[in-house]
């Protein structure tokens, strides 16, 4: 429940808004537009954006184009969150270009996709996100206020970090917040199609749901192999784009790690292998 009974009743909505109000002066010191709201179109960022509005703080919302988000999500943002769409940030290179440049597919070990597609914007600002402890064991260790490990002039505020998923949905339904229809398909995340952090079964389900995007991955793998060959890099397992695709979609089955849903966000986990 958004109102929790402890020694005194705690209104989590009011607490979250007060967190935003408390740190607004620092956000304004860094940028006269106020907070940089990192908007993904997911349920948590929809809630955070609404809280910023209700709290009366200054902010500017930005959707970071990944080039591999589901079409339904992109259309949802265009329709329901025009301010985030108008403030959209484009990556220097698309996922398909990055795969060729890096000469390997993105994986949970080589996490260049998040770093290049999501984490390069908002530097120098106080960035507001919808990160929550409940999302993963790694995120459970996160703090409400954080400083970017790579760019010390950038900091992060996670105003709903202690909210549960049920509380997020309670807020959405209570205040009639628009949310992406993909959640109605029993999806818990609506981010990048075939994200390499997903289990193989989910990656393949994504491929079936969005075959054109899966085909783009395969085409990029073909160009990647040509680039590797031109650079004198051979791989005994990879002879064709289909070989790469099969290896990639089953990577997590062969290289199991704990915390399978841990996802780095906006430069906070800078241990990516920059191959």
């Amino acid at each position: 429940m958004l109102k929790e009974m402890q020694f005194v009743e705690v209104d989590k909505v009011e607490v979250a808004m007060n967190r935003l109000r408390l740190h607004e002066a620092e956000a304004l010191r860094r940028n006269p537009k106020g907070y940089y709201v990192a908007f993904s179109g997911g349920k948590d960022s929809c809630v955070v954006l609404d809280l910023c509005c209700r709290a009366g703080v200054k902010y500017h919302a930005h959707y970071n184009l990944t080039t591999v988000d589901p079409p339904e999500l992109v259309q949802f943002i265009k329709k329901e969150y025009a301010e985030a769409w108008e403030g959209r940030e484009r990556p220097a290179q698309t996922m398909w270009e990055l795969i060729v440049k890096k000469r390997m597919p993105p994986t949970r070990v080589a996490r260049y996709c998040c770093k290049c597609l999501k984490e390069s914007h908002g530097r120098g600002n106080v960035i507001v996100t919808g990160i929550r402890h409940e999302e993963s064991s790694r995120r459970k260790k996160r703090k409400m206020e954080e400083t970017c490990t790579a760019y010390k002039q950038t900091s992060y505020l996670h105003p709903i970090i202690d909210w549960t998923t049920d509380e997020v949905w309670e807020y959405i339904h209570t205040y009639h917040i628009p949310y992406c229809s993909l959640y109605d398909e029993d999806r818990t995340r609506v981010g990048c199609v075939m994200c390499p952090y997903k289990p193989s079964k989910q990656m393949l389900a994504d491929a079936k749901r969005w075959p054109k995007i899966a085909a783009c991955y395969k085409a990029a793998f073909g160009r990647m192999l040509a680039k590797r060959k031109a650079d004198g890099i051979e791989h005994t397992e990879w002879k064709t784009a289909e070989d790469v695709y099969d290896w990639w979609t089953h990577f997590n089955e062969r290289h199991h790690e704990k915390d399978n849903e841990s996802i780095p966000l906006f430069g906070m986990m800078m241990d990516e292998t920059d191959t």
Side-chain angles (χ1 to χ4, degrees):
M1 297 293 292
L2 286 170
K3 288 189 176 181
E4 291 186 347
M5 292 301 296
Q6 298 178 354
F7 292 107
V8 294
E9 188 176 83
V10 176
D11 185 331
K12 283 193 169 183
V13 174
E14 192 62 34
V15 169
M17 290 193 296
N18 284 338
R19 288 168 176 169
L20 289 162
R21 292 165 182 148
L22 179 64
H23 298 278
E24 183 184 19
E26 177 60 21
L28 289 169
R29 185 185 70 80
R30 300 189 190 188
N31 188 326
K33 294 181 180 180
Y35 289 115
Y36 179 108
V37 179
F39 187 82
S40 68
K43 64 184 186 305
D44 302 316
S45 62
C46 291
V47 167
V48 164
L49 188 60
D50 190 73
L51 284 168
C52 286
C53 183
R54 289 180 183 278
V57 297
K58 292 192 70 174
Y59 66 89
H60 46 118
H62 301 269
Y63 164 53
N64 285 277
L65 285 164
T66 67
T67 69
V68 284
D69 275 340
E72 295 87 346
L73 178 64
V74 175
Q75 292 304 315
F76 163 71
I77 295 170
K78 283 184 180 180
K79 179 182 177 181
E80 300 291 350
Y81 292 95
E83 59 182 317
W85 179 254
E86 290 171 4
R88 64 189 179 278
E89 306 270 18
R90 294 179 172 83
Q93 294 178 299
T94 67
M95 173 68 91
W96 326 121
E97 293 169 330
L98 280 172
I99 288 171
V100 177
K101 177 183 177 182
K102 299 293 186 177
R103 301 179 299 193
M104 66 176 295
T107 69
R108 295 180 71 250
V109 177
R111 295 178 276 198
Y112 65 76
C113 48
C114 287
K115 183 177 181 180
C116 296
L117 299 176
K118 293 183 178 182
E119 300 171 2
S120 59
H121 303 292
R123 291 175 184 171
N125 287 267
V126 177
I127 300 176
V128 175
T129 84
I131 284 177
R132 294 183 297 109
H133 285 149
E134 192 182 72
E135 293 179 286
S136 70
S137 59
R138 184 170 289 179
R139 288 191 175 185
K140 192 173 183 179
K141 301 174 184 177
R142 304 287 292 270
K143 299 178 180 179
M144 185 188 68
E145 303 172 63
E146 297 178 305
T147 299
C148 180
T149 55
Y151 304 98
K152 300 300 183 183
Q153 297 306 309
T154 302
S155 61
Y156 301 84
L157 179 65
H158 316 303
I160 62 170
I161 196 166
D162 51 355
W163 287 31
T164 66
T165 298
D166 286 345
E167 288 168 343
V168 169
W169 283 114
E170 181 184 347
Y171 185 95
I172 287 171
H173 295 313
T174 299
Y175 295 103
H176 308 290
I177 308 301
Y179 65 89
C180 183
S181 62
L182 290 173
Y183 284 112
D184 293 332
E185 299 179 13
D186 293 327
R187 294 177 179 273
T188 57
R189 295 185 184 276
V190 295
C192 299
V193 173
M194 301 186 77
C195 170
Y197 290 92
K198 294 179 179 179
S200 297
K201 183 177 180 180
Q202 291 184 22
M203 291 181 73
L204 293 171
D206 277 5
K208 185 176 181 180
R209 177 70 166 75
W210 294 286
K212 290 183 179 179
I213 297 180
C216 287
Y217 275 113
K218 292 180 183 180
F221 293 155
R223 296 191 298 272
M224 179 200 79
L225 287 176
K227 171 68 171 171
R228 289 173 66 90
K229 184 175 181 180
D231 292 345
I233 302 173
E234 298 294 337
H235 193 292
T236 56
E237 294 181 35
W238 296 345
K239 302 301 182 184
T240 68
E242 286 288 344
D243 292 338
V244 182
Y245 183 82
D246 182 68
W247 175 92
W248 181 61
T249 54
H250 294 86
F251 180 86
N252 287 332
E253 290 180 356
R254 294 189 296 268
H255 303 276
H256 179 71
E257 292 181 5
K258 295 180 180 179
D259 192 16
N260 197 46
E261 293 187 359
S262 175
I263 297 179
L265 188 65
F266 294 100
M268 293 307 303
M269 295 161 60
M270 302 301 294
D271 57 340
E272 291 85 352
T273 301
D274 191 8
T275 303

